[in-house]
Amino acid sequence: MPRAGLTPAVLAEEAARIADEEGFDRLSLAAVAKRVGVAVPSLYKHVRGVEGLRREVAVRCAREFGERLGRAAMGRSHDDALRAVATAYREYARTHPGRYAALQRAPSPQDEEASAAFYVGVEAMVSVMRGFGLPDSDAIDAIRALRSALHGFVELEARGGFGLPQSTEHSYRILVEALIRALRDWPRSAPEAGG
Amino acid sequence: MPRAGLTPAVLAEEAARIADEEGFDRLSLAAVAKRVGVAVPSLYKHVRGVEGLRREVAVRCAREFGERLGRAAMGRSHDDALRAVATAYREYARTHPGRYAALQRAPSPQDEEASAAFYVGVEAMVSVMRGFGLPDSDAIDAIRALRSALHGFVELEARGGFGLPQSTEHSYRILVEALIRALRDWPRSAPEAGG
DNA sequence: CGCTGAAGCTAATGGGATTAGCTTTAAAGC
DNA sequence: GCTTTAAAGCTAATCCCATTAGCTTCAGCG
């Protein structure tokens, strides 16, 4: 039994591949062990059980995803930046459905590494939104709306939630254009009492 | 062993309760069997394994959810109808997180009963959208946008995806208002080749 | 009052996760 | 170069869940 050169990173990478190929719900220690040619309990030397493996995948993919969004926004602003980010967002979810699914478990606030990783993507959207010049309190709502729209669309699309044969490609473009228009005439916050 | 009076409906109801209380991912035949006071294999007389149970839950909840949306829209139109449906949508997802999660697996098109059940909710949104008088091809995009926005928001909210302490209640209201404005000035479809 | 089918049961199998504790390897130190 | 040692691997055992097979009992009907 020669050393297999495993690290949390190697396992997470293999796990991400499994998630993309077979679905995030089919990700298991058994599947990873088989792929890397090792007995299941050996994995415990590198990750803290399935839960630890899932977290590892989530953290790495969050960074990967966030970087892509950031790169898409780079050198663009306003509408163009938003369109590019939206495209990159959907592209990632479509080409990496398992990884995208892995991102859907929010990290505990205590887990600073994971929280930071997840924030990379949010930050990209925050920075795009800054270009629209909304006051801070409105910007929070706008970012939430943006995230909701993009996430909702790609998830419904991935799950086969859009039954009709009409192009989802097209619908997504329209969604993004509608968003851009909405941001130009963003609803004013009613003065609010509290948190 | 007196008869327990089980039916698929009884099991699905209990399963829905478990899903809401402990999370849809913790739903198991073992949990249901314990709750209804029966041995696990006995459940097979009523449902086709876990997968069958999940489907049963999904079908019932899809109807329940759809009816609530429909009732919310009833007697209202345009903006008011959309606001009411949006409120009912989020309310359901918040009070029944497990049931809402159960709805996220689209039924196979062959499964007509399930497809019909799922369409009840979509139909409510379709009918609301009709009030906005969009041409049919645009309406499809608009409905997809509406569904994306609502689903995305409630899911991100449920998963703790909105980190900041600012009121999600408020953000949701703004999202809905933005949506209403977007529908008044809906992006024209570029002429499209296909698909 | 017995028949029969459905509804329950137990037993057995298989898969995944996890823990405990043993063995081997690779690398650091002498 | 040899020894030591900690990490990396292994096997064995346990637990939980799902599923199948096949037996038993109950309820209703002739």
Side-chain angles (χ1 to χ4, degrees):
Chain A
M1 50 206 106
R3 297 299 165 92
L6 300 183
T7 64
V10 169
L11 295 183
E13 190 50 47
E14 195 58 52
R17 243 172 267 143
I18 292 170
D20 280 341
E21 292 169 19
E22 310 188 23
F24 184 67
D25 50 317
R26 303 257 184 124
L27 175 59
S28 64
L29 291 180
V32 174
K34 181 180 288 185
R35 289 249 205 147
V36 300
V38 119
V40 175
S42 306
L43 300 179
Y44 283 78
K45 297 282 155 131
H46 307 284
V47 295
R48 293 194 182 176
V50 227
E51 207 38 62
L53 178 67
R54 293 198 191 113
R55 176 198 169 275
E56 209 67 38
V57 174
V59 168
R60 294 174 55 80
C61 293
R63 274 197 279 262
E64 180 181 68
F65 176 57
E67 279 160 20
R68 293 197 190 189
L69 296 191
R71 228 174 298 138
M74 210 172 281
R76 296 187 170 90
S77 67
H78 304 269
D79 304 4
D80 282 346
L82 200 154
R83 285 190 195 99
V85 166
T87 300
Y89 193 113
R90 177 160 173 262
E91 184 65 16
Y92 188 85
R94 283 168 65 92
T95 56
H96 298 298
R99 288 159 145 96
Y100 186 76
L103 299 183
Q104 301 316 318
R105 358 187 98 234
S108 98
Q110 279 79 50
D111 186 344
E112 295 186 16
E113 185 194 13
S115 298
F118 271 73
Y119 194 65
V120 177
V122 176
E123 196 185 16
M125 296 198 254
V126 168
S127 84
V128 166
M129 204 52 83
R130 255 197 284 275
F132 283 84
L134 296 173
D136 275 10
S137 66
D138 287 352
I140 294 178
D141 300 325
I143 290 162
R144 287 176 173 174
L146 169 63
R147 293 176 60 200
S148 298
L150 301 191
H151 169 61
F153 191 98
V154 303
E155 179 157 301
L156 286 174
E157 186 182 19
R159 296 199 194 254
F162 296 141
L164 297 179
Q166 176 163 333
S167 162
T168 55
E169 193 79 27
H170 177 69
S171 294
Y172 191 66
R173 236 177 293 135
I174 296 292
L175 170 67
V176 173
E177 293 311 314
L179 236 117
I180 289 172
R181 291 193 191 187
L183 286 170
R184 290 209 194 102
D185 178 30
W186 194 249
R188 292 247 324 278
S189 270
E192 199 193 345
Chain B
M1 51 204 107
R3 298 298 163 92
L6 300 183
T7 65
V10 168
L11 296 183
E13 188 50 46
E14 196 60 50
R17 243 172 265 143
I18 292 170
D20 280 341
E21 291 168 20
E22 309 186 25
F24 184 67
D25 50 318
R26 304 259 184 123
L27 175 58
S28 65
L29 291 180
V32 173
K34 181 181 285 185
R35 290 250 206 148
V36 301
V38 120
V40 174
S42 305
L43 300 179
Y44 284 77
K45 297 283 156 140
H46 307 284
V47 294
R48 293 194 182 176
V50 227
E51 208 37 63
L53 178 67
R54 292 199 192 112
R55 177 199 169 273
E56 209 66 39
V57 174
V59 168
R60 293 175 56 80
C61 293
R63 274 197 279 263
E64 179 181 70
F65 177 57
E67 280 161 17
R68 291 196 191 190
L69 296 191
R71 229 174 296 139
M74 210 173 279
R76 296 186 170 90
S77 66
H78 303 269
D79 304 3
D80 282 345
L82 199 155
R83 285 190 195 99
V85 166
T87 300
Y89 193 113
R90 177 161 173 259
E91 183 67 16
Y92 188 86
R94 284 168 63 92
T95 55
H96 298 298
R99 288 161 145 94
Y100 186 75
L103 300 184
Q104 302 316 316
R105 358 187 97 234
S108 98
Q110 278 79 49
D111 186 345
E112 295 185 15
E113 185 193 13
S115 297
F118 272 73
Y119 194 67
V120 177
V122 176
E123 195 185 16
M125 296 196 255
V126 169
S127 84
V128 165
M129 204 54 81
R130 255 196 285 274
F132 283 84
L134 296 172
D136 275 10
S137 66
D138 288 351
I140 293 179
D141 300 324
I143 290 164
R144 286 176 173 175
L146 169 62
R147 292 176 60 199
S148 297
L150 301 190
H151 170 61
F153 191 99
V154 303
E155 179 158 301
L156 286 173
E157 186 182 19
R159 297 200 194 252
F162 296 140
L164 297 179
Q166 177 164 331
S167 162
T168 54
E169 193 78 27
H170 177 68
S171 294
Y172 191 66
R173 235 176 294 136
I174 296 292
L175 170 67
V176 173
E177 293 310 314
L179 218 77
I180 288 172
R181 291 193 190 188
L183 287 170
R184 290 210 194 100
D185 179 30
W186 194 248
R188 293 248 324 276
S189 270
E192 197 192 345

